[in-house]
Each structure stands twice: as structure tokens, then as C-alpha cells.
Amino acid sequence: QVQLVESGGGLVQAGGSLRLSCAASGRTFSSYAMGWFRQAPGKEREFLAAISRTGGRTVYADLVKGRFTINRDNAKNTLYLQMNTLKPEDTAVYYCAADPQLGLYIIPNEYHYWGQGTQVTVSS
């Protein structure tokens, strides 16, 4: 199994940027496909982006395409989400997730491992 810890969240003005990190420990990081999700109060957990084990393939939700970028550094056992042009509707708890898969999963139930989340608040 793998343990995941998100960091980098906080309070930011609309139009600003944040870079989230997800530090992994335990099993070999490169054995896991990774994803980013978010959940706002009263809403379902929402898929944002996924990346393959080597980082060669990525998938983005239409809502964040062009603003958010997912990448990973397997040598550092770390997953990243660069978020630009943030909007108040981006306010949510952001989670990273991992699964020993061959494909790219976009459904939360398809991931076996989750971090505890980091709060992102975008003010107007």
C-alpha cells in the first residue's frame, strides 16, 4: 500500500495560482497511477485530472483543462497539481488518490488509496 499526504492549499485571491503537492510513501510510487479530486460542501467528489504511472499519459476534466496541470516526479515520490487562474468556484477540499492500475481512472470508487485532503479557498 501507499500513504499519501497533500499540502500546498490555502487562501488565494481570484485569478491567483497555487501548486498542490502529494507526497507518497510506502510501496514503489511508480507502480501507481494517480489522480486529483476535489469536493465542495454539499457536492459530490469531482474528478480533476489523472496521470499514468510513468507520467506519459494524462486526462483532464473539461472544467479545468487549460488552467490546471498534473505532473509527477517519481524520483521524489511526489504528485503535483498546478492551478492557475483560480476562481471562487474552485473552493473545495482537494484530494490526491492512487491505484495500481494500467489505465487512467476518473471515478473515485476506482481508487484504493486517498490522502486526507488540503483546503483551497479562493476569495473574490
Side-chain angles (χ1 to χ4, degrees), residues 17-56:
S17 298
L18 285 174
R19 191 191 194 196
L20 305 183
S21 298
C22 175
S25 62
R27 305 293 295 276
T28 303
F29 181 60
S30 61
S31 297
Y32 295 87
M34 304 290 296
W36 283 102
F37 296 79
R38 70 186 183 190
Q39 189 166 21
K43 299 184 66 177
E44 297 180 345
R45 189 161 296 189
E46 180 181 32
F47 168 75
L48 299 174
I51 189 166
S52 62
R53 292 172 295 174
T54 63

PDB file of all heavy atoms in Angstrom, residues 17-56:
ATOM      1  N   SER A  17      -2.721  31.746  -8.270  1.00  0.00           N
ATOM      2  CA  SER A  17      -2.265  30.386  -8.538  1.00  0.00           C
ATOM      3  C   SER A  17      -1.841  29.693  -7.255  1.00  0.00           C
ATOM      4  O   SER A  17      -1.413  30.332  -6.287  1.00  0.00           O
ATOM      5  CB  SER A  17      -1.078  30.396  -9.501  1.00  0.00           C
ATOM      6  OG  SER A  17      -1.419  30.955 -10.752  1.00  0.00           O
ATOM      7  N   LEU A  18      -1.961  28.379  -7.260  1.00  0.00           N
ATOM      8  CA  LEU A  18      -1.457  27.522  -6.198  1.00  0.00           C
ATOM      9  C   LEU A  18      -0.881  26.262  -6.819  1.00  0.00           C
ATOM     10  O   LEU A  18      -1.354  25.813  -7.864  1.00  0.00           O
ATOM     11  CB  LEU A  18      -2.555  27.128  -5.210  1.00  0.00           C
ATOM     12  CG  LEU A  18      -3.042  28.155  -4.201  1.00  0.00           C
ATOM     13  CD1 LEU A  18      -4.237  27.593  -3.431  1.00  0.00           C
ATOM     14  CD2 LEU A  18      -1.932  28.539  -3.238  1.00  0.00           C
ATOM     15  N   ARG A  19       0.113  25.704  -6.158  1.00  0.00           N
ATOM     16  CA  ARG A  19       0.656  24.422  -6.558  1.00  0.00           C
ATOM     17  C   ARG A  19       0.491  23.440  -5.407  1.00  0.00           C
ATOM     18  O   ARG A  19       1.095  23.615  -4.347  1.00  0.00           O
ATOM     19  CB  ARG A  19       2.130  24.533  -6.923  1.00  0.00           C
ATOM     20  CG  ARG A  19       2.684  23.277  -7.594  1.00  0.00           C
ATOM     21  CD  ARG A  19       4.186  23.323  -7.699  1.00  0.00           C
ATOM     22  NE  ARG A  19       4.697  22.313  -8.609  1.00  0.00           N
ATOM     23  CZ  ARG A  19       5.969  21.923  -8.656  1.00  0.00           C
ATOM     24  NH1 ARG A  19       6.867  22.477  -7.849  1.00  0.00           N
ATOM     25  NH2 ARG A  19       6.343  21.001  -9.522  1.00  0.00           N
ATOM     26  N   LEU A  20      -0.331  22.427  -5.615  1.00  0.00           N
ATOM     27  CA  LEU A  20      -0.549  21.399  -4.620  1.00  0.00           C
ATOM     28  C   LEU A  20       0.453  20.274  -4.802  1.00  0.00           C
ATOM     29  O   LEU A  20       0.834  19.940  -5.923  1.00  0.00           O
ATOM     30  CB  LEU A  20      -1.964  20.838  -4.722  1.00  0.00           C
ATOM     31  CG  LEU A  20      -3.116  21.836  -4.631  1.00  0.00           C
ATOM     32  CD1 LEU A  20      -4.445  21.095  -4.671  1.00  0.00           C
ATOM     33  CD2 LEU A  20      -3.003  22.690  -3.376  1.00  0.00           C
ATOM     34  N   SER A  21       0.854  19.685  -3.689  1.00  0.00           N
ATOM     35  CA  SER A  21       1.751  18.543  -3.709  1.00  0.00           C
ATOM     36  C   SER A  21       1.112  17.373  -2.989  1.00  0.00           C
ATOM     37  O   SER A  21       0.312  17.548  -2.068  1.00  0.00           O
ATOM     38  CB  SER A  21       3.084  18.876  -3.031  1.00  0.00           C
ATOM     39  OG  SER A  21       3.763  19.908  -3.708  1.00  0.00           O
ATOM     40  N   CYS A  22       1.455  16.183  -3.404  1.00  0.00           N
ATOM     41  CA  CYS A  22       1.015  14.954  -2.760  1.00  0.00           C
ATOM     42  C   CYS A  22       2.234  14.073  -2.587  1.00  0.00           C
ATOM     43  O   CYS A  22       2.750  13.520  -3.566  1.00  0.00           O
ATOM     44  CB  CYS A  22      -0.057  14.272  -3.608  1.00  0.00           C
ATOM     45  SG  CYS A  22      -0.593  12.664  -2.995  1.00  0.00           S
ATOM     46  N   ALA A  23       2.699  13.956  -1.356  1.00  0.00           N
ATOM     47  CA  ALA A  23       3.874  13.156  -1.048  1.00  0.00           C
ATOM     48  C   ALA A  23       3.454  11.729  -0.737  1.00  0.00           C
ATOM     49  O   ALA A  23       2.552  11.498   0.069  1.00  0.00           O
ATOM     50  CB  ALA A  23       4.631  13.757   0.130  1.00  0.00           C
ATOM     51  N   ALA A  24       4.111  10.779  -1.368  1.00  0.00           N
ATOM     52  CA  ALA A  24       3.772   9.371  -1.222  1.00  0.00           C
ATOM     53  C   ALA A  24       4.882   8.622  -0.511  1.00  0.00           C
ATOM     54  O   ALA A  24       6.070   8.910  -0.693  1.00  0.00           O
ATOM     55  CB  ALA A  24       3.515   8.735  -2.583  1.00  0.00           C
ATOM     56  N   SER A  25       4.492   7.663   0.298  1.00  0.00           N
ATOM     57  CA  SER A  25       5.443   6.772   0.957  1.00  0.00           C
ATOM     58  C   SER A  25       4.847   5.377   1.016  1.00  0.00           C
ATOM     59  O   SER A  25       3.645   5.188   0.862  1.00  0.00           O
ATOM     60  CB  SER A  25       5.791   7.264   2.358  1.00  0.00           C
ATOM     61  OG  SER A  25       4.641   7.292   3.190  1.00  0.00           O
ATOM     62  N   GLY A  26       5.702   4.394   1.248  1.00  0.00           N
ATOM     63  CA  GLY A  26       5.255   3.015   1.304  1.00  0.00           C
ATOM     64  C   GLY A  26       5.776   2.222   0.115  1.00  0.00           C
ATOM     65  O   GLY A  26       6.982   2.080  -0.054  1.00  0.00           O
ATOM     66  N   ARG A  27       4.871   1.739  -0.707  1.00  0.00           N
ATOM     67  CA  ARG A  27       5.239   0.975  -1.881  1.00  0.00           C
ATOM     68  C   ARG A  27       5.826   1.868  -2.961  1.00  0.00           C
ATOM     69  O   ARG A  27       5.765   3.096  -2.871  1.00  0.00           O
ATOM     70  CB  ARG A  27       4.032   0.211  -2.422  1.00  0.00           C
ATOM     71  CG  ARG A  27       3.353  -0.697  -1.401  1.00  0.00           C
ATOM     72  CD  ARG A  27       4.237  -1.868  -0.995  1.00  0.00           C
ATOM     73  NE  ARG A  27       4.509  -2.787  -2.086  1.00  0.00           N
ATOM     74  CZ  ARG A  27       3.710  -3.779  -2.470  1.00  0.00           C
ATOM     75  NH1 ARG A  27       2.563  -3.996  -1.829  1.00  0.00           N
ATOM     76  NH2 ARG A  27       4.056  -4.552  -3.475  1.00  0.00           N
ATOM     77  N   THR A  28       6.367   1.253  -3.984  1.00  0.00           N
ATOM     78  CA  THR A  28       7.008   1.988  -5.061  1.00  0.00           C
ATOM     79  C   THR A  28       6.021   2.932  -5.740  1.00  0.00           C
ATOM     80  O   THR A  28       5.003   2.510  -6.275  1.00  0.00           O
ATOM     81  CB  THR A  28       7.590   1.021  -6.089  1.00  0.00           C
ATOM     82  OG1 THR A  28       8.499   0.130  -5.446  1.00  0.00           O
ATOM     83  CG2 THR A  28       8.318   1.775  -7.188  1.00  0.00           C
ATOM     84  N   PHE A  29       6.351   4.225  -5.718  1.00  0.00           N
ATOM     85  CA  PHE A  29       5.457   5.255  -6.223  1.00  0.00           C
ATOM     86  C   PHE A  29       5.138   5.052  -7.694  1.00  0.00           C
ATOM     87  O   PHE A  29       3.997   5.260  -8.129  1.00  0.00           O
ATOM     88  CB  PHE A  29       6.085   6.627  -5.984  1.00  0.00           C
ATOM     89  CG  PHE A  29       5.257   7.783  -6.441  1.00  0.00           C
ATOM     90  CD1 PHE A  29       3.996   8.007  -5.923  1.00  0.00           C
ATOM     91  CD2 PHE A  29       5.753   8.668  -7.387  1.00  0.00           C
ATOM     92  CE1 PHE A  29       3.234   9.085  -6.333  1.00  0.00           C
ATOM     93  CE2 PHE A  29       5.004   9.751  -7.802  1.00  0.00           C
ATOM     94  CZ  PHE A  29       3.745   9.961  -7.272  1.00  0.00           C
ATOM     95  N   SER A  30       6.118   4.642  -8.465  1.00  0.00           N
ATOM     96  CA  SER A  30       5.929   4.496  -9.900  1.00  0.00           C
ATOM     97  C   SER A  30       5.009   3.345 -10.269  1.00  0.00           C
ATOM     98  O   SER A  30       4.648   3.197 -11.443  1.00  0.00           O
ATOM     99  CB  SER A  30       7.281   4.322 -10.603  1.00  0.00           C
ATOM    100  OG  SER A  30       7.942   3.158 -10.149  1.00  0.00           O
ATOM    101  N   SER A  31       4.599   2.537  -9.309  1.00  0.00           N
ATOM    102  CA  SER A  31       3.670   1.442  -9.565  1.00  0.00           C
ATOM    103  C   SER A  31       2.216   1.901  -9.572  1.00  0.00           C
ATOM    104  O   SER A  31       1.329   1.094  -9.855  1.00  0.00           O
ATOM    105  CB  SER A  31       3.833   0.344  -8.518  1.00  0.00           C
ATOM    106  OG  SER A  31       5.125  -0.236  -8.586  1.00  0.00           O
ATOM    107  N   TYR A  32       1.963   3.170  -9.265  1.00  0.00           N
ATOM    108  CA  TYR A  32       0.605   3.671  -9.088  1.00  0.00           C
ATOM    109  C   TYR A  32       0.271   4.759 -10.091  1.00  0.00           C
ATOM    110  O   TYR A  32       1.026   5.718 -10.265  1.00  0.00           O
ATOM    111  CB  TYR A  32       0.423   4.237  -7.678  1.00  0.00           C
ATOM    112  CG  TYR A  32       0.552   3.197  -6.596  1.00  0.00           C
ATOM    113  CD1 TYR A  32       1.793   2.889  -6.063  1.00  0.00           C
ATOM    114  CD2 TYR A  32      -0.570   2.536  -6.118  1.00  0.00           C
ATOM    115  CE1 TYR A  32       1.916   1.924  -5.074  1.00  0.00           C
ATOM    116  CE2 TYR A  32      -0.451   1.579  -5.128  1.00  0.00           C
ATOM    117  CZ  TYR A  32       0.792   1.273  -4.612  1.00  0.00           C
ATOM    118  OH  TYR A  32       0.903   0.323  -3.629  1.00  0.00           O
ATOM    119  N   ALA A  33      -0.887   4.601 -10.725  1.00  0.00           N
ATOM    120  CA  ALA A  33      -1.500   5.734 -11.391  1.00  0.00           C
ATOM    121  C   ALA A  33      -2.074   6.665 -10.324  1.00  0.00           C
ATOM    122  O   ALA A  33      -2.473   6.215  -9.246  1.00  0.00           O
ATOM    123  CB  ALA A  33      -2.601   5.273 -12.344  1.00  0.00           C
ATOM    124  N   MET A  34      -2.114   7.961 -10.613  1.00  0.00           N
ATOM    125  CA  MET A  34      -2.504   8.955  -9.622  1.00  0.00           C
ATOM    126  C   MET A  34      -3.598   9.860 -10.175  1.00  0.00           C
ATOM    127  O   MET A  34      -3.691  10.078 -11.382  1.00  0.00           O
ATOM    128  CB  MET A  34      -1.308   9.813  -9.213  1.00  0.00           C
ATOM    129  CG  MET A  34      -0.109   9.045  -8.687  1.00  0.00           C
ATOM    130  SD  MET A  34      -0.416   8.301  -7.061  1.00  0.00           S
ATOM    131  CE  MET A  34      -0.647   9.767  -6.052  1.00  0.00           C
ATOM    132  N   GLY A  35      -4.381  10.413  -9.261  1.00  0.00           N
ATOM    133  CA  GLY A  35      -5.421  11.344  -9.653  1.00  0.00           C
ATOM    134  C   GLY A  35      -5.610  12.440  -8.625  1.00  0.00           C
ATOM    135  O   GLY A  35      -5.229  12.296  -7.459  1.00  0.00           O
ATOM    136  N   TRP A  36      -6.187  13.545  -9.080  1.00  0.00           N
ATOM    137  CA  TRP A  36      -6.604  14.642  -8.212  1.00  0.00           C
ATOM    138  C   TRP A  36      -8.115  14.788  -8.286  1.00  0.00           C
ATOM    139  O   TRP A  36      -8.700  14.751  -9.379  1.00  0.00           O
ATOM    140  CB  TRP A  36      -5.963  15.963  -8.627  1.00  0.00           C
ATOM    141  CG  TRP A  36      -4.527  16.126  -8.238  1.00  0.00           C
ATOM    142  CD1 TRP A  36      -3.435  15.985  -9.023  1.00  0.00           C
ATOM    143  CD2 TRP A  36      -4.042  16.482  -6.937  1.00  0.00           C
ATOM    144  NE1 TRP A  36      -2.291  16.231  -8.313  1.00  0.00           N
ATOM    145  CE2 TRP A  36      -2.638  16.544  -7.021  1.00  0.00           C
ATOM    146  CE3 TRP A  36      -4.649  16.766  -5.713  1.00  0.00           C
ATOM    147  CZ2 TRP A  36      -1.827  16.863  -5.929  1.00  0.00           C
ATOM    148  CZ3 TRP A  36      -3.851  17.077  -4.628  1.00  0.00           C
ATOM    149  CH2 TRP A  36      -2.463  17.122  -4.749  1.00  0.00           C
ATOM    150  N   PHE A  37      -8.734  14.978  -7.122  1.00  0.00           N
ATOM    151  CA  PHE A  37     -10.164  15.194  -6.997  1.00  0.00           C
ATOM    152  C   PHE A  37     -10.401  16.356  -6.049  1.00  0.00           C
ATOM    153  O   PHE A  37      -9.507  16.754  -5.302  1.00  0.00           O
ATOM    154  CB  PHE A  37     -10.866  13.943  -6.454  1.00  0.00           C
ATOM    155  CG  PHE A  37     -10.790  12.746  -7.351  1.00  0.00           C
ATOM    156  CD1 PHE A  37      -9.642  11.973  -7.407  1.00  0.00           C
ATOM    157  CD2 PHE A  37     -11.868  12.379  -8.135  1.00  0.00           C
ATOM    158  CE1 PHE A  37      -9.562  10.863  -8.228  1.00  0.00           C
ATOM    159  CE2 PHE A  37     -11.805  11.272  -8.960  1.00  0.00           C
ATOM    160  CZ  PHE A  37     -10.657  10.512  -9.011  1.00  0.00           C
ATOM    161  N   ARG A  38     -11.605  16.892  -6.066  1.00  0.00           N
ATOM    162  CA  ARG A  38     -11.981  17.907  -5.092  1.00  0.00           C
ATOM    163  C   ARG A  38     -13.430  17.708  -4.680  1.00  0.00           C
ATOM    164  O   ARG A  38     -14.219  17.100  -5.399  1.00  0.00           O
ATOM    165  CB  ARG A  38     -11.779  19.322  -5.642  1.00  0.00           C
ATOM    166  CG  ARG A  38     -12.747  19.713  -6.741  1.00  0.00           C
ATOM    167  CD  ARG A  38     -12.373  21.064  -7.319  1.00  0.00           C
ATOM    168  NE  ARG A  38     -13.322  21.503  -8.332  1.00  0.00           N
ATOM    169  CZ  ARG A  38     -13.133  22.541  -9.127  1.00  0.00           C
ATOM    170  NH1 ARG A  38     -12.018  23.271  -9.027  1.00  0.00           N
ATOM    171  NH2 ARG A  38     -14.062  22.874 -10.021  1.00  0.00           N
ATOM    172  N   GLN A  39     -13.756  18.237  -3.508  1.00  0.00           N
ATOM    173  CA  GLN A  39     -15.112  18.133  -3.005  1.00  0.00           C
ATOM    174  C   GLN A  39     -15.465  19.400  -2.240  1.00  0.00           C
ATOM    175  O   GLN A  39     -14.795  19.754  -1.271  1.00  0.00           O
ATOM    176  CB  GLN A  39     -15.285  16.913  -2.099  1.00  0.00           C
ATOM    177  CG  GLN A  39     -16.724  16.637  -1.720  1.00  0.00           C
ATOM    178  CD  GLN A  39     -16.919  15.258  -1.126  1.00  0.00           C
ATOM    179  OE1 GLN A  39     -15.965  14.639  -0.638  1.00  0.00           O
ATOM    180  NE2 GLN A  39     -18.139  14.764  -1.168  1.00  0.00           N
ATOM    181  N   ALA A  40     -16.505  20.075  -2.698  1.00  0.00           N
ATOM    182  CA  ALA A  40     -17.029  21.255  -2.037  1.00  0.00           C
ATOM    183  C   ALA A  40     -18.217  20.863  -1.168  1.00  0.00           C
ATOM    184  O   ALA A  40     -18.859  19.834  -1.415  1.00  0.00           O
ATOM    185  CB  ALA A  40     -17.454  22.302  -3.070  1.00  0.00           C
ATOM    186  N   PRO A  41     -18.549  21.662  -0.152  1.00  0.00           N
ATOM    187  CA  PRO A  41     -19.684  21.332   0.716  1.00  0.00           C
ATOM    188  C   PRO A  41     -20.969  21.127  -0.079  1.00  0.00           C
ATOM    189  O   PRO A  41     -21.317  21.945  -0.928  1.00  0.00           O
ATOM    190  CB  PRO A  41     -19.783  22.545   1.634  1.00  0.00           C
ATOM    191  CG  PRO A  41     -18.394  23.087   1.678  1.00  0.00           C
ATOM    192  CD  PRO A  41     -17.846  22.872   0.295  1.00  0.00           C
ATOM    193  N   GLY A  42     -21.658  20.023   0.197  1.00  0.00           N
ATOM    194  CA  GLY A  42     -22.913  19.738  -0.458  1.00  0.00           C
ATOM    195  C   GLY A  42     -22.799  19.202  -1.868  1.00  0.00           C
ATOM    196  O   GLY A  42     -23.825  19.018  -2.529  1.00  0.00           O
ATOM    197  N   LYS A  43     -21.589  18.942  -2.346  1.00  0.00           N
ATOM    198  CA  LYS A  43     -21.392  18.456  -3.704  1.00  0.00           C
ATOM    199  C   LYS A  43     -20.678  17.112  -3.695  1.00  0.00           C
ATOM    200  O   LYS A  43     -20.044  16.729  -2.712  1.00  0.00           O
ATOM    201  CB  LYS A  43     -20.592  19.464  -4.529  1.00  0.00           C
ATOM    202  CG  LYS A  43     -21.254  20.816  -4.689  1.00  0.00           C
ATOM    203  CD  LYS A  43     -20.449  21.725  -5.589  1.00  0.00           C
ATOM    204  CE  LYS A  43     -20.398  21.210  -7.013  1.00  0.00           C
ATOM    205  NZ  LYS A  43     -19.670  22.146  -7.923  1.00  0.00           N
ATOM    206  N   GLU A  44     -20.787  16.399  -4.806  1.00  0.00           N
ATOM    207  CA  GLU A  44     -20.087  15.140  -4.962  1.00  0.00           C
ATOM    208  C   GLU A  44     -18.599  15.374  -5.166  1.00  0.00           C
ATOM    209  O   GLU A  44     -18.168  16.446  -5.591  1.00  0.00           O
ATOM    210  CB  GLU A  44     -20.650  14.367  -6.162  1.00  0.00           C
ATOM    211  CG  GLU A  44     -22.102  13.963  -6.031  1.00  0.00           C
ATOM    212  CD  GLU A  44     -22.586  13.204  -7.246  1.00  0.00           C
ATOM    213  OE1 GLU A  44     -21.907  13.237  -8.291  1.00  0.00           O
ATOM    214  OE2 GLU A  44     -23.643  12.562  -7.150  1.00  0.00           O
ATOM    215  N   ARG A  45     -17.816  14.349  -4.866  1.00  0.00           N
ATOM    216  CA  ARG A  45     -16.396  14.413  -5.161  1.00  0.00           C
ATOM    217  C   ARG A  45     -16.210  14.448  -6.675  1.00  0.00           C
ATOM    218  O   ARG A  45     -16.767  13.627  -7.405  1.00  0.00           O
ATOM    219  CB  ARG A  45     -15.668  13.224  -4.553  1.00  0.00           C
ATOM    220  CG  ARG A  45     -14.159  13.333  -4.634  1.00  0.00           C
ATOM    221  CD  ARG A  45     -13.470  12.405  -3.646  1.00  0.00           C
ATOM    222  NE  ARG A  45     -13.772  12.772  -2.269  1.00  0.00           N
ATOM    223  CZ  ARG A  45     -13.170  12.250  -1.206  1.00  0.00           C
ATOM    224  NH1 ARG A  45     -12.232  11.317  -1.374  1.00  0.00           N
ATOM    225  NH2 ARG A  45     -13.506  12.628   0.007  1.00  0.00           N
ATOM    226  N   GLU A  46     -15.401  15.385  -7.143  1.00  0.00           N
ATOM    227  CA  GLU A  46     -15.303  15.714  -8.549  1.00  0.00           C
ATOM    228  C   GLU A  46     -13.919  15.380  -9.086  1.00  0.00           C
ATOM    229  O   GLU A  46     -12.902  15.771  -8.503  1.00  0.00           O
ATOM    230  CB  GLU A  46     -15.601  17.205  -8.751  1.00  0.00           C
ATOM    231  CG  GLU A  46     -15.528  17.698 -10.172  1.00  0.00           C
ATOM    232  CD  GLU A  46     -15.810  19.186 -10.269  1.00  0.00           C
ATOM    233  OE1 GLU A  46     -15.471  19.921  -9.307  1.00  0.00           O
ATOM    234  OE2 GLU A  46     -16.374  19.619 -11.287  1.00  0.00           O
ATOM    235  N   PHE A  47     -13.882  14.681 -10.203  1.00  0.00           N
ATOM    236  CA  PHE A  47     -12.622  14.364 -10.860  1.00  0.00           C
ATOM    237  C   PHE A  47     -12.000  15.610 -11.470  1.00  0.00           C
ATOM    238  O   PHE A  47     -12.693  16.419 -12.087  1.00  0.00           O
ATOM    239  CB  PHE A  47     -12.847  13.319 -11.955  1.00  0.00           C
ATOM    240  CG  PHE A  47     -11.677  13.148 -12.874  1.00  0.00           C
ATOM    241  CD1 PHE A  47     -10.541  12.466 -12.457  1.00  0.00           C
ATOM    242  CD2 PHE A  47     -11.700  13.673 -14.145  1.00  0.00           C
ATOM    243  CE1 PHE A  47      -9.456  12.311 -13.294  1.00  0.00           C
ATOM    244  CE2 PHE A  47     -10.621  13.526 -15.003  1.00  0.00           C
ATOM    245  CZ  PHE A  47      -9.498  12.839 -14.572  1.00  0.00           C
ATOM    246  N   LEU A  48     -10.689  15.744 -11.328  1.00  0.00           N
ATOM    247  CA  LEU A  48      -9.962  16.860 -11.907  1.00  0.00           C
ATOM    248  C   LEU A  48      -8.958  16.412 -12.967  1.00  0.00           C
ATOM    249  O   LEU A  48      -8.951  16.936 -14.078  1.00  0.00           O
ATOM    250  CB  LEU A  48      -9.221  17.642 -10.821  1.00  0.00           C
ATOM    251  CG  LEU A  48     -10.083  18.258  -9.737  1.00  0.00           C
ATOM    252  CD1 LEU A  48      -9.204  18.877  -8.669  1.00  0.00           C
ATOM    253  CD2 LEU A  48     -11.038  19.286 -10.326  1.00  0.00           C
ATOM    254  N   ALA A  49      -8.091  15.477 -12.606  1.00  0.00           N
ATOM    255  CA  ALA A  49      -7.023  15.068 -13.511  1.00  0.00           C
ATOM    256  C   ALA A  49      -6.452  13.735 -13.063  1.00  0.00           C
ATOM    257  O   ALA A  49      -6.493  13.401 -11.883  1.00  0.00           O
ATOM    258  CB  ALA A  49      -5.911  16.126 -13.562  1.00  0.00           C
ATOM    259  N   ALA A  50      -5.905  12.989 -14.009  1.00  0.00           N
ATOM    260  CA  ALA A  50      -5.245  11.729 -13.711  1.00  0.00           C
ATOM    261  C   ALA A  50      -3.976  11.617 -14.541  1.00  0.00           C
ATOM    262  O   ALA A  50      -3.868  12.215 -15.619  1.00  0.00           O
ATOM    263  CB  ALA A  50      -6.167  10.546 -13.990  1.00  0.00           C
ATOM    264  N   ILE A  51      -3.029  10.831 -14.046  1.00  0.00           N
ATOM    265  CA  ILE A  51      -1.750  10.667 -14.713  1.00  0.00           C
ATOM    266  C   ILE A  51      -1.301   9.221 -14.577  1.00  0.00           C
ATOM    267  O   ILE A  51      -1.500   8.582 -13.541  1.00  0.00           O
ATOM    268  CB  ILE A  51      -0.699  11.650 -14.135  1.00  0.00           C
ATOM    269  CG1 ILE A  51       0.586  11.646 -14.959  1.00  0.00           C
ATOM    270  CG2 ILE A  51      -0.423  11.340 -12.666  1.00  0.00           C
ATOM    271  CD1 ILE A  51       1.502  12.819 -14.625  1.00  0.00           C
ATOM    272  N   SER A  52      -0.697   8.702 -15.636  1.00  0.00           N
ATOM    273  CA  SER A  52      -0.261   7.320 -15.655  1.00  0.00           C
ATOM    274  C   SER A  52       0.977   7.125 -14.790  1.00  0.00           C
ATOM    275  O   SER A  52       1.576   8.076 -14.279  1.00  0.00           O
ATOM    276  CB  SER A  52       0.018   6.871 -17.088  1.00  0.00           C
ATOM    277  OG  SER A  52       1.060   7.647 -17.663  1.00  0.00           O
ATOM    278  N   ARG A  53       1.379   5.869 -14.641  1.00  0.00           N
ATOM    279  CA  ARG A  53       2.467   5.534 -13.724  1.00  0.00           C
ATOM    280  C   ARG A  53       3.780   6.229 -14.051  1.00  0.00           C
ATOM    281  O   ARG A  53       4.513   6.640 -13.146  1.00  0.00           O
ATOM    282  CB  ARG A  53       2.666   4.018 -13.698  1.00  0.00           C
ATOM    283  CG  ARG A  53       1.521   3.248 -13.054  1.00  0.00           C
ATOM    284  CD  ARG A  53       1.697   1.768 -13.233  1.00  0.00           C
ATOM    285  NE  ARG A  53       1.613   1.377 -14.625  1.00  0.00           N
ATOM    286  CZ  ARG A  53       1.842   0.152 -15.084  1.00  0.00           C
ATOM    287  NH1 ARG A  53       2.182  -0.819 -14.242  1.00  0.00           N
ATOM    288  NH2 ARG A  53       1.736  -0.105 -16.378  1.00  0.00           N
ATOM    289  N   THR A  54       4.085   6.357 -15.326  1.00  0.00           N
ATOM    290  CA  THR A  54       5.328   6.997 -15.742  1.00  0.00           C
ATOM    291  C   THR A  54       5.154   8.479 -16.058  1.00  0.00           C
ATOM    292  O   THR A  54       6.141   9.163 -16.338  1.00  0.00           O
ATOM    293  CB  THR A  54       5.913   6.299 -16.969  1.00  0.00           C
ATOM    294  OG1 THR A  54       5.009   6.431 -18.067  1.00  0.00           O
ATOM    295  CG2 THR A  54       6.149   4.826 -16.676  1.00  0.00           C
ATOM    296  N   GLY A  55       3.930   8.970 -16.040  1.00  0.00           N
ATOM    297  CA  GLY A  55       3.663  10.354 -16.374  1.00  0.00           C
ATOM    298  C   GLY A  55       3.464  10.612 -17.849  1.00  0.00           C
ATOM    299  O   GLY A  55       3.292  11.762 -18.250  1.00  0.00           O
ATOM    300  N   GLY A  56       3.465   9.568 -18.667  1.00  0.00           N
ATOM    301  CA  GLY A  56       3.367   9.744 -20.100  1.00  0.00           C
ATOM    302  C   GLY A  56       1.971  10.044 -20.617  1.00  0.00           C
ATOM    303  O   GLY A  56       1.828  10.537 -21.734  1.00  0.00           O
TER     304      GLY A  56
END
